[in-house]
Amino acid sequence: MPRAPHVPRELAFLPFSADRAITAGLLTRRMLRSSCWRRLLPDVYVHEDGYRPDDHRMWCDAVALTLPPGAALAGPSAAYLWGVDLLPRQSPVFVVLPEAARPRHRDRIVVAHHRLAPDDVTRFAGLPVTTGVRTAFDLGRSAFAGSVRRTDGVATDWDADRSEGRTRALVAVDALLNRRVVRLSDLAAYLAAHPRRPGTAQLRELLPLAEPLSESPMETRLRLVLYDAGLPSPTAQHEVYDARGRFLARVDLAYPRLRIALEYEGDHHRERAHFRRDVARLNALRAAGWLVLRFTADDVLRSPGRVVRQVAQALSERRSPRR
């Protein structure tokens, strides 16, 4: 029975540079040919126990080993490291390189060339990553939609639909604000200090629409649909109490004076226990005089006009004097 190859503790789980490991005496080229090692990128390997093909953090660790000085993980990848997942499965890693750097063509890497000041970059678990405010600044102005190119020349999901860049930008900013990665005042100050960067006009438009209380991308999308249609901006995460001051519910969006609630219904609402709670909650809101409009992802993404008409009708009816 063949003996299992020796695995140095330092190389047991995280990606590593083969050249550096060999120089340090942890491996030999012959040992590296064992099937227990997975090649991720040129000169970058990981042990099979640490190989998770859909784990974006693993790919960030791998790509960081290849970055030159002055580069950083950025955009959606930086947001992911800060706790905001905006990425589809098997997403490439997004990086910013110094303007003079020219990367080799590699799978799973999307490159943008932007100027990064020293205080735009910090360390996250040993990885160079754009700061929270710089990450929000880049995503809010769609810096990774207009000027990026994947190093293998293949378009990415992030920049495939340019017409949706503004919506995705607001989704990203809301999510970063909600997770307290950045404060709205700090983002506004950073924008004021960098007014002429590409895409700042978009970010300047979106800042007044940004909502730190938004708890999901679909809530942000629903708010933006209503704004673009010229409807009043609803209040996010509004708490409803009955006449005795008892808490009834917190609704996604609301027009409190008119007692209109707008709810986004995700797939989790279909679970039996959640469904029963929803029914009881909906009955309590109705008993308190609230009109509740419920929308799905299909409504918001594929039938925004119908959403606007329903909300506009509800506003009109509630504003009309009762006879």
Side-chain angles (χ1 to χ4, degrees):
M1 181 175 181
R3 186 174 60 180
H6 172 67
V7 179
R9 183 181 59 184
E10 299 90 335
L11 311 179
F13 298 106
L14 297 177
F16 61 91
S17 162
D19 284 346
R20 295 174 200 169
I22 291 169
T23 300
L26 299 174
L27 284 175
T28 65
R29 290 288 176 190
R30 181 177 180 181
M31 292 169 63
L32 197 58
R33 288 195 289 269
S34 166
S35 60
C36 73
W37 305 107
R38 298 268 190 159
R39 182 180 182 273
L40 302 178
L41 298 168
D43 187 51
V44 179
Y45 291 76
V46 70
H47 188 262
E48 60 182 2
D49 289 345
Y51 179 67
R52 299 173 298 279
D54 292 336
D55 182 1
H56 195 69
R57 173 58 194 271
M58 181 198 74
W59 288 104
C60 286
D61 286 332
V63 170
L65 293 169
T66 72
L67 295 180
L73 302 166
S77 293
Y80 180 89
L81 293 173
W82 289 120
V84 174
D85 188 357
L86 306 168
L87 296 165
R89 288 179 68 251
Q90 298 185 335
S91 173
V93 175
F94 292 76
V95 302
V96 167
L97 294 184
E99 294 178 345
R102 290 294 177 265
R104 297 178 180 177
H105 294 306
R106 293 175 181 170
D107 292 341
R108 301 200 71 111
I109 304 176
V110 170
V111 171
H113 292 277
H114 298 307
R115 289 174 294 168
L116 288 177
D119 57 0
D120 285 334
V121 181
T122 187
R123 307 291 294 188
F124 182 95
L127 306 180
V129 60
T130 51
T131 61
V133 67
R134 176 65 197 227
T135 301
F137 178 73
D138 285 343
L139 291 176
R141 62 195 179 95
S142 297
F144 283 82
S147 61
V148 306
R149 65 182 180 86
R150 186 162 167 172
T151 56
D152 58 3
V154 179
T156 71
D157 288 340
W158 185 260
D159 67 336
D161 185 2
R162 302 297 172 85
S163 65
E164 205 194 19
R166 172 173 168 270
T167 301
R168 291 186 178 184
L170 184 58
V171 166
V173 170
D174 275 3
L176 290 164
L177 291 170
N178 181 261
R179 292 298 299 265
R180 300 183 181 180
V181 175
V182 63
R183 294 184 299 182
L184 190 56
S185 58
D186 291 339
L187 180 55
Y190 192 97
L191 174 60
H194 303 81
R196 298 183 180 179
R197 298 289 178 84
T200 51
Q202 172 179 278
L203 180 56
R204 197 171 293 111
E205 177 209 350
L206 294 180
L207 274 188
L209 307 180
E211 177 52 77
L213 295 178
S214 184
E215 294 187 345
S216 75
M218 292 308 302
E219 287 181 32
T220 297
R221 288 176 177 273
L222 176 55
R223 262 187 22 255
L224 191 56
V225 164
L226 301 177
Y227 171 82
D228 286 343
L231 295 181
S233 296
T235 299
Q237 303 303 320
H238 179 71
E239 294 185 347
V240 179
Y241 296 84
D242 67 12
R244 298 183 180 180
R246 294 176 299 186
F247 175 79
L248 295 180
R250 186 178 65 166
V251 298
D252 296 337
L253 301 169
Y255 296 103
R257 186 178 64 84
L258 300 176
R259 295 188 181 184
I260 298 174
L262 311 178
E263 293 273 77
Y264 166 67
E265 305 293 343
D267 288 341
H268 63 283
H269 287 268
R270 300 176 185 177
E271 298 171 3
R272 179 173 297 181
H274 208 298
F275 177 76
R276 285 198 294 264
R277 289 195 298 270
D278 280 352
V279 170
R281 180 172 172 272
L282 183 60
N283 289 339
L285 286 168
R286 286 175 175 169
W290 280 75
L291 171 64
V292 181
L293 300 179
R294 307 171 79 178
F295 301 106
T296 65
D298 190 70
D299 294 324
V300 177
L301 297 175
R302 295 177 176 82
S303 304
R306 185 173 62 200
V307 170
V308 169
R309 288 192 297 273
Q310 290 177 350
V311 174
Q313 181 179 355
L315 290 170
S316 177
E317 291 175 354
R318 288 273 166 144
R319 285 169 175 161
S320 299
R322 297 181 179 177
R323 297 179 180 178

